[in-house]
Structure formats: structure tokens, C-alpha cells
Amino acid sequence: MTENQNKLFAAASLVQKRAHAPYSKAFIGSAVLMSDGHIYSGCNIENASYGGTVCAERVAIFKAISEGAMTPIKEILVVSDADKPWPPCGFCRQIIAEFATEGTLIHTANLSGKIKTFSFLEIFPEAFTPSNLDDVK
Ligand code: ZN
């Protein structure tokens, strides 16, 4: 792992234990490294309505934005218990698109230390981004 991956993995695996996941039993942690060098973390927070559930990645990003972090996101890591590390879901990819560049690194990891890295462009090509709205007439 790189130094940044180590820091993100430590932050994400710490909060993974705090996940509120009584329905799926899937404990997920995430951490984002913002362009100002700060790291914010989040865990999945499920809701009895199911639709009110928020993924760990979105919790981490929303915390960063609400705390005044400088964008874009440089790197984001997601850790799960799964043998094959879970990638961000479609909702999270769209939220990442709002604050990422094509080169933002997306790390997926599991607790055994298996890690796979993608660029944002690889994981979400042709993303709808704020720049698409520049064409609105
Ligand atoms: Zn998600």
C-alpha cells in the first residue's frame, strides 16, 4: 500500500466498526483524502425505510463538504468484509463525480488488505458532471 492508502485504510477501517447496518449486516467504511490534505471518514448508516440508507462513501464526502474541505477529492477508499472488495455503488459514483476529477483515485479494499485501485474515469466513464450543465441554454 502507498502512504495515502495506509492512512485512508486506517481511517476507513476504524469507522467501519461504527456502521449502523442492522438490515444488511454489511459493515462498510470509507475515507476521503481532500485536496487540502485532510481526511474525512464515514460508515454506512442504514434506515428501516431502506430508501433512507446512506452509504459510507457519501457519509464521508458529505462530512468533508460540510466541514469546509477543499475539493477536488484526491483519493477515496472503501473497505468492506467481502472477499472481493466492494466498489462504490451508482449513487455514490454520482456523488463522487460532483467533487472528483477524472484522475481521482478510487481504492476498494477488504479487511485482509486486498486492495484494487481505479481512476475515477475508469470506474465511471461518461459521468454526468457539473460541466454538463454548462451546455444548458
Ligand atoms: Zn453507495
Side-chain angles (χ1 to χ4, degrees), residues 54-58 87-93:
V54 183
C55 300
E57 301 94 305
R58 281 181 279 154
C89 75
F91 287 119
C92 289
R93 291 178 197 207

Side-chain angles (χ1 to χ4, degrees), residues 15 34 69 87 106:
V15 299
M34 304 304 288
I106 315 291

Side-chain angles (χ1 to χ4, degrees), residues 2-133:
T2 67
E3 185 180 339
N4 284 343
Q5 287 173 330
N6 270 325
K7 289 179 185 173
L8 291 167
F9 185 83
S13 56
L14 178 70
V15 299
Q16 180 190 18
K17 300 175 184 74
R18 301 178 188 149
H20 178 71
Y23 312 108
S24 73
K25 315 282 191 231
F27 285 63
I28 312 297
S30 181
V32 286
L33 173 63
M34 304 304 288
S35 59
D36 56 14
H38 288 101
I39 290 175
Y40 299 84
S41 58
C43 58
N44 53 321
I45 302 173
E46 297 181 346
N47 186 275
S49 72
Y50 286 59
T53 294
V54 183
C55 300
E57 301 94 305
R58 281 181 279 154
V59 171
I61 292 167
F62 293 162
K63 282 171 65 180
I65 298 304
S66 68
E67 295 298 317
M70 188 182 299
T71 60
I73 296 169
K74 290 179 73 175
E75 302 183 33
I76 182 167
L77 182 141
V78 187
V79 64
S80 68
D81 293 332
D83 287 338
K84 183 181 175 191
W86 283 8
C89 75
F91 287 119
C92 289
R93 291 178 197 207
Q94 185 60 49
I95 298 303
I96 294 168
E98 186 77 14
F99 304 108
T101 66
E102 291 183 346
T104 292
L105 297 178
I106 315 291
H107 309 292
T108 62
N110 67 15
L111 291 177
S112 304
K114 186 175 182 181
I115 189 162
K116 190 167 183 184
T117 298
F118 308 87
S119 70
F120 183 68
L121 183 61
E122 287 177 305
I123 206 167
F124 198 12
E126 301 300 326
F128 186 85
T129 67
S131 68
N132 290 107
L133 297 175

